[in-house]
Amino acid sequence: MKRIILLGPQGCGKGTQAKFISEKYEIPHISTGDIFRYNIKNKTELGVEALKYINDGNLVPDDLTNRIVEDRLKQEDCVNGFILDGFPRTIPQADALREMTDIDYVVLIEIPDEDVIFRLEGRRMCSGENCKDLIYNINTSPKPQNEGVCDRCGRGLYQRDDDKVEAIRKRLQEYHEKTSPLIDYYGDKVISIDGTKDIEEVTKDIFDKLD
Ligand code: AMP
């Protein structure tokens, strides 16, 4: 079984690595941030509620977030495992998750705060419906071939409101206060990975540990 949690500050490469892990082990990539953004875009009740918190860089309340994950883990594609990206982010969320399922691995991708700010400020997303999995970065890589435009579909790129610098600082503070205590919480299950290396090297380090 590969029931995996990915931990690490925003911008450490969780989303990118989650995609590779998901493909290799054929398990679904569950990102609470993506679920919230999908609902915000489609103006669902959940989206309207979540938006109140997300744009300012605050966490969405635990009970709302826990319910979403519980529903998602009940779906059939999670029978052989899953990779949780962005959840749990607090001790109460980890307690709730423990009631839902066992966890086999906790992968912690570590990078310093300055790198987080540099990377997140450069992050750009495609506004096209079919490119939700594409993440560009004008400070690091992959840079778009033409500035401000998606390589795949040609639509405009945008910066997430929560990737603006004030929100980034708030999110980092939230990470240190509320999420990093999870490293001790999961103790021996935690596999530490140096997230400052190139993407391919980080992927290799993760696969070496999970194989
Ligand atoms: P992410 O894409 O993981 O950085 O998530 C974007 C935003 O969604 C976060 O800054 C939070 O406001 C919210 N969010 C995502 N996952 C959680 C979670 N597990 N608990 C609370 N809020 C979350």
Side-chain angles (χ1 to χ4, degrees):
M1 271 290 237
K2 292 257 188 299
R3 291 165 297 192
I4 304 168
I5 293 172
L6 260 187
L7 274 186
Q10 301 82 349
C12 71
K14 287 198 299 291
T16 306
Q17 298 298 337
K19 211 166 66 179
F20 297 140
I21 298 170
S22 161
E23 281 162 13
K24 171 156 177 171
Y25 299 108
E26 298 181 349
I27 49 177
H29 169 200
I30 302 174
S31 153
T32 39
D34 283 350
I35 296 174
F36 288 135
R37 279 185 289 280
Y38 174 85
N39 280 277
I40 288 169
K41 195 159 180 217
N42 290 291
K43 300 194 169 63
T44 67
E45 210 177 310
L46 167 66
V48 171
E49 184 63 19
L51 190 62
K52 292 186 208 160
Y53 305 92
I54 291 184
N55 273 356
D56 296 331
N58 291 315
L59 292 181
V60 177
D62 286 337
D63 53 347
L64 187 61
T65 310
N66 293 344
R67 255 186 288 137
I68 289 160
V69 174
E70 190 167 14
D71 285 348
R72 182 64 187 86
L73 292 180
K74 282 183 188 145
Q75 290 178 25
E76 232 170 72
D77 60 344
C78 294
V79 287
N80 293 322
F82 47 80
I83 172 140
L84 280 172
D85 163 13
F87 183 93
R89 259 182 161 92
T90 63
I91 299 271
Q93 289 182 8
D95 286 338
L97 180 63
R98 194 155 59 177
E99 300 292 313
M100 299 173 208
T101 178
D102 289 332
I103 293 297
D104 304 300
Y105 306 93
V106 178
V107 177
L108 168 67
I109 306 181
E110 298 187 283
I111 65 166
D113 284 3
E114 312 85 76
D115 293 28
V116 169
I117 293 170
F118 184 69
R119 287 184 185 191
L120 288 191
E121 267 195 289
R123 192 150 77 168
R124 297 292 181 274
M125 324 289 280
C126 176
S127 52
E129 185 53 36
N130 296 325
C131 302
K132 281 205 302 284
D133 57 332
L134 284 186
I135 301 172
Y136 296 96
N137 200 307
I138 59 169
N139 286 344
T140 58
S141 69
K143 290 192 173 73
Q145 277 165 10
N146 297 306
E147 203 183 309
V149 176
C150 178
D151 294 348
R152 192 196 278 169
C153 74
R155 285 196 177 81
L157 302 181
Y158 71 98
Q159 184 181 37
R160 282 166 42 177
D161 281 337
D162 60 344
D163 283 342
K164 306 215 161 115
V165 85
E166 274 319 301
I168 296 171
R169 289 191 200 287
K170 179 85 141 291
R171 290 162 71 197
L172 262 173
Q173 195 186 337
E174 293 256 26
Y175 177 78
H176 289 300
E177 279 172 18
K178 297 185 178 156
T179 309
S180 52
L182 294 176
I183 299 166
D184 282 342
Y185 182 99
Y186 286 111
D188 290 348
K189 285 218 169 94
V190 176
I191 299 167
S192 288
I193 300 286
D194 177 358
T196 63
K197 296 185 187 173
D198 289 344
I199 292 178
E200 298 76 28
E201 281 181 83
V202 174
T203 310
K204 184 180 175 306
D205 289 349
I206 294 174
F207 287 170
D208 282 350
K209 300 276 173 122
L210 294 180
D211 275 343

